[in-house]
């Protein structure tokens, strides 16, 4: 190998890019991974999945200590939150992960090039090095894995102090008295939960008429009901037209989504979480002719090839759910195909999980989608109140819903609100990946007493045979 010449150069070290780089190295390619942020792991490890889950876990422990223990006969007094310590722990968790990825790249002999990359020409990546100067990498193939960034909102300028994105929302140095969350999706509900548990009065302003609008509508309703009971307030079908920071907090102007009289809400902190958009700034895509769609996503074919030969793209920067595991699956499938093997991602089977407590999880089609597609289906639903382990644990809110083809019984979707929904959903993912039926789930022996028994019962309910309701 000539120095700086690789079989593959991956631009971006997130869960799409670093996983693609490792898999390509395993397949025998010489690989470099270019990352500009100063740490590997991308949005996910640095300012996304990992820090948010660390804070969700810490804040849930506090919630349990202050509101859950008493039911179990455990008296806990003087329980206090040390925000600085909680954030420091989160930072340590992040560091362990980002250093872990660095170790993995080294172990797999992937060159970690620290700096911002641009495609100077097909086969050439110019890197503005973090240590100063530039480097030119030659590559037989290039994979773009540059991820996504926060979608901005007109008249709501993010300063990461009073008006924050998720990045600022992960590092607040105090618990705000009031927090207004703009957007009731994944980030809004997760970070809203963190700060509500720690003491903030949280109001979620959502443009549409329900939270988590991409999920099955029954899940959205149940989530909102449970989160409202926990103390979160919701303003649905409402739009934010402006937010102005001032000495006494941020003045947020809202009005009905359909139009109407404006109203002003105030809060110490405003979190903007209305979605994310692909990030391609500075890559030089126009000059080399890599096509993007109207939403700014790089257009790829079934093999992740862009409009320019030997340039590929994966993860948040292309179409599909903006999820870490999806980005990784893209990366693996992309380099497997490059290596002449088989690579494929079934986007219908990418599970989505909202890590509130209880959690919401989904895979496959929602009821609304099946209706729109004219598919005849059967619904099996089972409440956690009838799952013994849920009652044992004192966490028995929510339900499991399985959708199956009315004629063939093939499992088409599974939607859960409840304890550990994010773990439970994988049984449905596995069965659906093998083209299994609701009856297949119903016939499997599930250990007693586990939350997973609810999956069996929901599957039995598809045939009207649930045993414990
Ligand atoms: P990214 O992770 O965004 O990585 C892209 C990397 O490329 C970045 O590090 C960036 O610095 C680098 N880069 C960009 N341009 C260049 C360039 N020109 N040169 C060099 N480097 C460059 N998903 C889940 O599945 N589960 C979760 O629990 C979850 N929680 C989340 C919580 C939050 C608060 C947020 C914001 C996101 C969360 N996500 C979660 C989404 C997840 O983080 C993304 O889907 C995932 O990180 C996408 O991976 P990626 O590799 O495509 O891009
Ligand atoms: P989101 O798409 O999940 O939710 C955005 C919400 O904002 C939607 O409900 C939308 O209707 C609403 N909205 C849009 N414009 C609005 C406006 N002007 N005013 C009020 N509401 C508005 O996006 P979010 O929460 O920002 O997260 C971005 C992405 O990051 C997610 O889609 C997901 O892919 C990923 N993510 C995944 C997590 C997980 O897997 N647990 C956690 C956090 C983020």
């Amino acid at each position: 190998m000539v120095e700086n010449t690789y079989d593959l150069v991956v631009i971006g070290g997130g869960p799409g890019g670093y996983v693609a780089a490792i898999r390509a190295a395993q397949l025998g390619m010489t690989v470099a991974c270019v990352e500009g942020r100063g740490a590997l792991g991308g949005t996910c490890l640095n300012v996304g999945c990992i820090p948010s889950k660390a804070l969700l876990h810490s804040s849930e422990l506090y919630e349990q200590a202050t509101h859950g223990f008493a039911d179990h006969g455990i008296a806990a007094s003087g329980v206090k939150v040390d925000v600085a310590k909680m954030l420091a722990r989160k930072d340590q968790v992040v560091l362990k992960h980002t250093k872990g990825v660095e170790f993995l790249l080294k172990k797999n002999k992937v060159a970690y090039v620290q700096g911002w990359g641009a495609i100077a020409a097909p086969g050439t990546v110019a890197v503005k090095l973090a240590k100063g100067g530039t480097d030119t990498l030659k590559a037989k193939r290039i994979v773009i894995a540059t991820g996504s960034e926060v979608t901005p909102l007109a008249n709501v300028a993010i300063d990461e102090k009073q008006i924050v994105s998720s990045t600022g929302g992960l590092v607040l140095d105090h618990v705000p008295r009031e927090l207004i969350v703009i957007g009731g999706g994944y980030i809004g509900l997760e970070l809203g939960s963190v700060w509500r548990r720690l003491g903030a009065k949280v109001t979620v302003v959502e443009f549409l008429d329900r939270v988590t609008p991409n999920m099955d509508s029954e899940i959205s309703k149940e989530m909102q009901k449970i989160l409202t009971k926990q103390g979160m307030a919701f303003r649905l079908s409402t739009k934010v037209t402006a937010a102005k920071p001032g000495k006494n907090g941020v003045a947020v102007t809202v009005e009905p989504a359909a139009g109407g009289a404006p109203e002003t809400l105030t809060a110490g902190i405003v979190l903007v979480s209305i979605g994310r958009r692909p990030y391609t700034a500075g890559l030089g895509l126009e000059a080399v002719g890599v096509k993007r769609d109207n939403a700014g996503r790089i257009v790829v074919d079934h093999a992740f090839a862009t409009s320019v030969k030997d340039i590929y793209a994966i993860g948040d920067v292309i179409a599909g759910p903006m999820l870490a595991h999806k980005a990784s699956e893209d990366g693996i499938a992309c380099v497997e195909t490059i290596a002449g093997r088989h690579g494929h991602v079934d986007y219908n089977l990418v599970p989505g999980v909202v890590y509130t407590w209880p959690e919401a999880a989904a895979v496959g089609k929602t009821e609304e989608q099946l209706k729109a597609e004219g598919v005849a289906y059967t619904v099996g639903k089972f409440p956690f109140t009838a799952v013994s382990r849920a009652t044992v644990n004192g966490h028995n809110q929510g339900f499991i819903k399985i959708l199956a083809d009315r004629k063939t019984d093939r499992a088409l979707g599974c939607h859960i609100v409840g304890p550990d929904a994010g773990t439970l959903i994988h049984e449905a993912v596995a069965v659906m990946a093998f083209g299994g039926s609701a009856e297949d789930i119903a016939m499997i022996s599930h250990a007693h007493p586990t939350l997973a028994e609810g999956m069996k019962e929901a599957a039995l309910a598809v045939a009207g045979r649930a045993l414990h309701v």
Side-chain angles (χ1 to χ4, degrees), residues 11-17 34-37 39 41-44 46-50 52-53 115-118 145-148 166 170 187 190-191 276 279 281-283 314-317 321-325 327 353 355:
I11 308 177
V34 184
E35 172 54 63
R37 72 165 65 231
T43 302
C44 177
N46 290 281
V47 289
C49 328
I50 296 301
S52 60
K53 265 79 259 178
W116 296 101
T146 48
S148 61
S166 53
L170 289 165
I187 292 175
E190 289 187 359
L191 288 186
R276 294 179 63 82
Y279 182 74
L283 270 178
I314 58 167
D316 276 11
V317 83
M322 286 182 160
L323 297 172
H325 42 291
V353 180
Y355 296 90

Side-chain angles (χ1 to χ4, degrees), residues 156-445:
V156 183
I158 293 172
D159 58 15
E160 298 296 12
K161 288 191 176 79
Q162 283 178 286
I163 303 182
V164 298
S165 70
S166 53
T167 303
L170 289 165
V171 294
L172 299 182
D173 58 6
H174 66 286
V175 180
R177 221 167 50 153
E178 303 99 8
L179 171 70
I180 291 178
V181 174
I182 309 177
Y186 282 78
I187 292 175
L189 299 189
E190 289 187 359
L191 288 186
S193 287
V194 166
W195 294 107
R196 193 225 20 99
R197 290 168 189 165
L198 298 181
K201 182 179 172 303
V202 175
T203 303
V204 177
V205 181
E206 166 60 48
F207 184 79
L208 296 177
D209 61 359
R210 61 181 170 109
V211 297
T212 57
N214 292 330
M215 287 191 151
D216 189 279
S217 70
E218 276 196 281
I219 299 294
S220 299
K221 274 189 208 123
E222 185 74 5
M223 274 295 271
Q224 192 190 336
K225 199 171 87 189
I226 294 171
L227 294 176
T228 302
K229 228 173 172 182
Q230 293 176 357
M232 209 181 264
F234 292 91
R235 299 286 297 257
L236 301 183
S237 304
T238 303
K239 67 180 169 196
V240 171
T241 53
K244 293 258 170 312
K247 260 197 209 144
N248 300 320
V250 186
V252 179
T253 314
V254 298
E255 61 181 54
E263 190 188 333
T264 303
L265 312 174
T266 43
I269 303 282
V270 170
L271 167 68
V272 181
S273 51
I274 59 160
R276 294 179 63 82
R277 63 183 187 186
Y279 182 74
T280 53
L283 270 178
L285 297 187
E286 294 81 11
V288 283
V290 171
K291 284 202 184 107
R292 282 171 292 171
D293 66 14
N294 289 340
R297 300 173 297 199
I298 295 177
V299 177
V300 294
D301 67 8
H302 65 282
F304 303 93
T306 69
S307 50
V308 176
K309 193 171 176 306
D310 295 331
I311 301 181
Y312 301 77
I314 58 167
D316 276 11
V317 83
I318 65 167
M322 286 182 160
L323 297 172
H325 42 291
K326 178 268 188 186
S328 298
E329 296 300 337
D330 280 358
I332 293 165
C334 174
V335 299
E336 292 271 353
T337 312
I338 288 173
R341 297 161 67 125
H342 178 71
H344 172 71
V345 184
D346 185 343
Y347 293 111
N348 186 46
L349 294 184
V350 174
V353 180
V354 184
Y355 296 90
T356 46
W357 191 261
E359 294 175 342
V363 67
K365 303 283 185 186
T366 63
E367 226 180 312
E368 292 75 29
Q369 284 171 327
L370 292 178
K371 273 187 193 139
E373 290 168 17
V375 178
Y377 61 91
T378 320
V379 184
K381 254 175 87 174
F382 196 77
F384 279 101
T385 44
V387 178
S388 56
R389 186 58 181 272
T391 301
V392 165
N393 292 355
H395 295 290
N396 60 4
Q397 289 171 306
F399 57 83
I400 299 174
K401 172 173 173 178
I402 292 177
L403 300 168
D405 188 287
R406 193 184 292 163
K407 263 201 213 125
T408 64
D409 193 43
R410 184 177 178 148
L412 299 175
C414 180
H415 308 277
I416 310 174
V417 177
D420 259 334
T423 305
L424 296 174
I425 197 74
H426 289 89
E427 179 174 357
V429 178
V431 168
M432 287 168 69
F434 284 100
S437 63
E439 191 184 21
D440 287 327
I441 300 175
M443 286 172 66
I444 298 169
S445 176

